[in-house]
Amino acid sequence: MEILRLVVFLAATVTTGMMAGIFFAYSNSIMPGLRRVDDDTFVRTFAALDRAILNPLFLVGGFLGAPVLTGLAIVLHVVDDARSPVPWMAAALVLYLVTFVITVAVNVPRNDALKAADPATAGVAAIRAAFDERRWARWNLARTVLTTAAFALLAYGLVRTGGLA
């Protein structure tokens, strides 16, 4: 049982860290790079990136895997132990769930609208303007900060308990 607890805890930490890295990459390279291109390139490239990221490895292994594994780690660690990592895990899960809500409420609707828009009828400048990349980027920065904090909490929980709680 101890090995299972450790493996799940590590997997929760790693998948949360991977998600923080993805959000960080968008904040620090992808969106700043796209900000410098013309409207047509922006619309086509962002749509292609969004289509590419929607794959089973990202969705199950990272985006959905992180909160599921963190929740499972909490369940496996619910013990009456002064060194229990449950408070750190629970705080990390809350931060990640806020990230999830931001993603579903702000970022995904913008992504979907951009992909659904027809450049032939709407025009790429109008599609880009409707996307509102500054707002998308601000909320992505929030996702970056929240998932990085969640990762740090999980890592601290691992260190604090010595891995096996």
Side-chain angles (χ1 to χ4, degrees), residues 11 19 46 58 65-66 76-77 87 91 98 100 102 117 130 137 144-145 148 155 165:
M19 290 308 303
F46 190 92
F58 170 78
L76 292 172
H77 280 84
V98 172
F100 188 88
I102 290 169
T144 304
V145 170
T148 301

Side-chain angles (χ1 to χ4, degrees), residues 10 23 33 35 57 75 86 88 95 112 115 118 142 147 157 160:
L10 281 170
F23 295 138
R35 190 176 313 124
L57 183 58
V75 169
V86 170
W88 309 107
L95 292 177
D112 291 346
K115 289 185 301 190
D118 181 6
T147 53
R160 187 171 185 274

